[in-house]
Amino acid sequence: MAPRDARLFSAQDFAFAEANENSVTSLLAVALPNANGTTFFNLASCDLASPDASQTRAWVRVLGDFLSSGQDNGTPGFRANWGGVEAGTDVTVGQSARLGAALGYEGGNLSDSLGSRATQQLFRVSLYGSQTFGGVGLSAAFSYAHGWDDTSRESGFGVSAASRGVNEWTGAIQAAAPLETSGLSITPAAGVLISGLSGGAFSETNPLSAGFAVSGSEQDRTFVSPYALVGFSHAFTSTGGMVVTPGIQVGYRYDAAADGGRVTLVAQDGTAFYNNAVERNRNSALVGASISGHQGRWTGFVKYRANLSNNWTDQAVEAGFRFGF
């Protein structure tokens, strides 16, 4: 008989990958050399002779991520919530390039419709940068994250518990070509996220019956997720000199991490159960909104982004500030 809630570990991997890929996506915007907004590439403010230009910047932001998946095709419904903080600094290189580094910590919890639960913590280190080439802005980011998972699976006869480590590297590159018309900035962009996730081996324990505990071997998988979007923003200057920039974005992303990866589970008698994956729809719509306020060397910002699919949604929010000096 197959283990109850066998796709729980795949759901955890999906949540872990989404949290890391959302951070890397945000870093593509942090890298921007613009003075005002923090969402789209602003070629007009790459000029370091500008009075707002800063050779060095430091920033901090708080993060939230909310993944929700419906129940279908044998996969229980589940929810995963993450929260954390990330901070970094970057410097100008040459006339219009920027290089930076960041550190982040997030904690999350997952629960599903069968009563199983899991907690996750991760530590992440990242590098990012940007460069302009004529009318095109290029951004790139790379991160490495290590996570600690504690899982309590409702086995049908007591709770089977396990702990394991998870590692993931994620790289991203994006090209944007901003346009200006009547004060409105229109920014089409396209890019790709590539992630390599490794879930460590584990062995469950069940105090009621060892026969209801399973083990799992180390699993390695790669996710390639291309996307395209367009952003719209407009800057407004107050009488006090503050520049306020609201923006929205819409697009499409092929989210390979929605498969969750296929985990092999082995029962106490040696029977193996293969291909335990959540198999969510990999096609998703991208939507987002943001607003930033900039004056002098300070910029504050709030952002919302969402991946929307027919059987899952992932919503990310962040708020923070940066200072140039």
Side-chain angles (χ1 to χ4, degrees):
M1 183 174 64
R4 188 171 188 264
D5 209 355
R7 300 182 183 184
L8 175 63
F9 303 99
S10 179
Q12 286 181 268
D13 290 346
F14 179 23
F16 184 77
E18 286 295 301
N20 287 317
E21 291 186 356
N22 281 333
S23 171
V24 170
T25 299
S26 290
L27 286 178
L28 295 176
V30 171
L32 307 187
N34 61 316
N36 300 330
T38 60
T39 304
F40 311 115
F41 213 108
N42 185 355
L43 297 175
S45 55
C46 292
D47 183 6
L48 296 182
S50 165
D52 285 331
S54 300
Q55 295 290 331
T56 305
R57 304 182 306 185
W59 54 268
V60 64
R61 62 187 182 186
V62 293
L63 309 170
D65 187 79
F66 310 95
L67 175 64
S68 178
S69 174
Q71 179 176 339
D72 61 24
N73 299 325
T75 296
F78 62 88
R79 297 180 62 88
N81 300 320
W82 290 85
V85 62
E86 196 161 34
T89 185
D90 51 55
V91 298
T92 298
V93 178
Q95 292 300 308
S96 60
R98 211 169 261 287
L99 292 176
L103 297 174
Y105 168 83
E106 292 188 61
N109 61 77
L110 183 149
S111 60
D112 71 17
S113 58
L114 295 180
S116 299
R117 296 184 178 276
T119 60
Q120 297 176 297
Q121 299 181 72
L122 69 85
F123 176 78
R124 182 170 50 238
V125 58
S126 306
L127 301 173
Y128 62 92
S130 65
Q131 174 67 63
T132 60
F133 297 93
V136 176
L138 191 67
S139 302
F142 180 86
S143 80
Y144 171 80
H146 177 74
W148 298 265
D149 290 359
D150 293 308
T151 307
S152 298
R153 182 178 61 87
E154 288 291 343
S155 69
F157 192 72
V159 174
S160 295
S163 297
R164 63 171 180 157
V166 184
N167 300 295
E168 184 177 40
W169 59 263
T170 304
I173 187 168
Q174 174 182 286
L179 306 170
E180 294 281 341
T181 176
S182 301
L184 177 67
S185 295
I186 303 173
T187 308
V192 62
L193 292 154
I194 303 175
S195 299
L197 188 146
S198 175
F202 62 92
S203 295
E204 290 183 328
T205 59
N206 187 315
L208 296 183
S209 174
F212 283 78
V214 298
S215 61
S217 58
E218 183 173 349
Q219 301 285 328
D220 297 319
R221 67 221 67 159
T222 301
F223 306 124
V224 180
S225 301
Y227 65 90
L229 57 86
V230 59
F232 304 88
S233 62
H234 195 296
F236 301 90
T237 304
S238 70
T239 56
M242 175 177 287
V243 180
V244 178
T245 308
I248 60 172
Q249 66 179 36
V250 294
Y252 165 82
R253 175 172 159 184
Y254 178 83
D255 198 320
D259 182 63
R262 301 182 180 276
V263 180
T264 299
L265 301 179
V266 182
Q268 293 293 318
D269 63 3
T271 304
F273 302 90
Y274 301 98
N275 298 324
N276 298 293
V278 292
E279 297 181 320
R280 304 293 81 194
N281 189 351
R282 301 183 188 188
N283 299 293
S284 65
L286 296 175
V287 298
S290 66
I291 187 168
S292 66
H294 169 76
Q295 189 163 30
R297 297 183 180 275
W298 289 93
T299 299
F301 54 89
V302 178
K303 298 183 188 180
Y304 168 83
R305 298 185 313 278
N307 285 21
L308 307 176
S309 192
N310 69 319
N311 54 14
W312 64 275
T313 62
D314 184 34
Q315 302 178 80
V317 295
E318 64 178 275
F321 68 89
R322 73 175 184 229
F323 178 73
F325 52 91

